[in-house]
Amino acid sequence: MNRSFDLTIRILLVIAGVLLSCDRRTAINRTRDPISFGADVTVIKDYSTGMNLADISFTRENAAFSDGIITVGDTEIPNVGGSLYFLQSSLFSLSTGLNEITFESPDDQYLQAISFDLPDSFGVTDITPQINYNADNVFVQWSSSGSATRYILAVATFNYGADGTEPFRKLLAEQDSSYVIPDTTFENASGDIVPGTYYIYLIAFNRGFGPYFDIQFPVPEGLSPRAISDPNGSFIYGTVAPLDSIMVPVI
């Protein structure tokens, strides 16, 4: 009796297995397509103004997204409308060296971090001559900035263009620590000396740079930001040295 019952159970199990193996209905894929996020990011540590900057455009599915949480270091960057997250303040603590920026959308269970190496503090160490009576060439030297792979040197008046002068700007290599500013920087297009204060801007960066909000100096053409993939977009970051100047007196 027990052996007959066991045999019946075995036969039923074999039949069920055959029926299941013959069921070729397409399974329903319930996996949700990933949501795409984008960001164009600028982070600047500015010793020339003391006002550090985070300027970020954040999008979800190519549309402005205001419900994200974006943190640079230990500071959450507020949304100021639409896709824009913005903070420019002397109270915005931003360390040189290795930093992290995080992008979060809790409703989408999205959390992504990007690391970046912000160049160390540095500055001008020599200007010869600083009082440039004859509007001659000027030698400028600066200290090195850790983590920097490129420098930008720019010299301009606050009124450049309106006063007839053309700003000097130069992209320099990691090993460069000095440059000679040509005398034409202190002249107008006619070759006349233009007296005034010519401000020296030095920027250290790595992996990409470009113009940004409220920039106080002209930058060389041909710069490109660092590309980021998740979120997809671009990243500009760097360190601006304390401001210095060359004086061309009225003779």
Side-chain angles (χ1 to χ4, degrees), residues 45-48 96 118-125 140-148 150-153 172 174 176-177 200-205 217 238-244:
K45 185 166 186 63
D46 194 339
Y47 288 101
S48 72
T96 58
L118 196 63
D120 293 334
S121 60
F122 71 117
V124 174
T125 57
V140 177
Q141 189 171 38
W142 55 90
S143 57
S144 63
S145 172
S147 302
R150 303 300 295 269
Y151 294 96
I152 293 171
L153 172 62
L172 298 168
E174 175 184 3
D176 292 328
S177 61
I200 301 172
Y201 302 94
L202 269 170
I203 306 92
F205 69 95
F217 48 87
T239 301
V240 182
L243 199 61
D244 220 314

Side-chain angles (χ1 to χ4, degrees), residues 112-129:
Q112 186 65 32
I114 297 173
S115 296
F116 64 101
D117 207 354
L118 196 63
D120 293 334
S121 60
F122 71 117
V124 174
T125 57
D126 184 36
I127 305 170
T128 305

Side-chain angles (χ1 to χ4, degrees), residues 36-67:
S36 64
F37 290 88
D40 292 317
V41 184
T42 298
V43 175
I44 302 293
K45 185 166 186 63
D46 194 339
Y47 288 101
S48 72
T49 64
M51 302 279 284
N52 296 330
L53 171 70
D55 182 1
I56 302 165
S57 175
F58 192 39
T59 60
R60 179 184 184 276
E61 297 289 283
N62 296 316
F65 186 57
S66 60
D67 293 330

Side-chain angles (χ1 to χ4, degrees), residues 21-138:
S21 68
C22 293
D23 186 357
R24 299 185 182 276
R25 291 175 297 177
T26 303
I28 298 174
N29 183 2
R30 301 186 183 276
T31 303
R32 188 171 65 175
D33 291 336
I35 295 171
S36 64
F37 290 88
D40 292 317
V41 184
T42 298
V43 175
I44 302 293
K45 185 166 186 63
D46 194 339
Y47 288 101
S48 72
T49 64
M51 302 279 284
N52 296 330
L53 171 70
D55 182 1
I56 302 165
S57 175
F58 192 39
T59 60
R60 179 184 184 276
E61 297 289 283
N62 296 316
F65 186 57
S66 60
D67 293 330
I69 301 171
I70 301 178
T71 304
V72 177
D74 296 325
T75 303
E76 183 175 332
I77 309 304
N79 177 269
V80 295
S83 65
L84 184 59
Y85 296 72
F86 185 86
L87 180 61
Q88 186 178 35
S89 173
S90 59
L91 302 179
F92 173 22
S93 178
L94 185 58
S95 300
T96 58
L98 190 62
N99 284 268
E100 189 174 79
I101 177 169
T102 60
F103 303 85
E104 185 175 2
S105 174
D107 290 344
D108 298 304
Q109 298 182 346
Y110 176 83
L111 176 62
Q112 186 65 32
I114 297 173
S115 296
F116 64 101
D117 207 354
L118 196 63
D120 293 334
S121 60
F122 71 117
V124 174
T125 57
D126 184 36
I127 305 170
T128 305
Q130 186 161 25
I131 302 178
N132 193 9
Y133 290 101
N134 299 315
D136 294 325
N137 296 342
V138 175

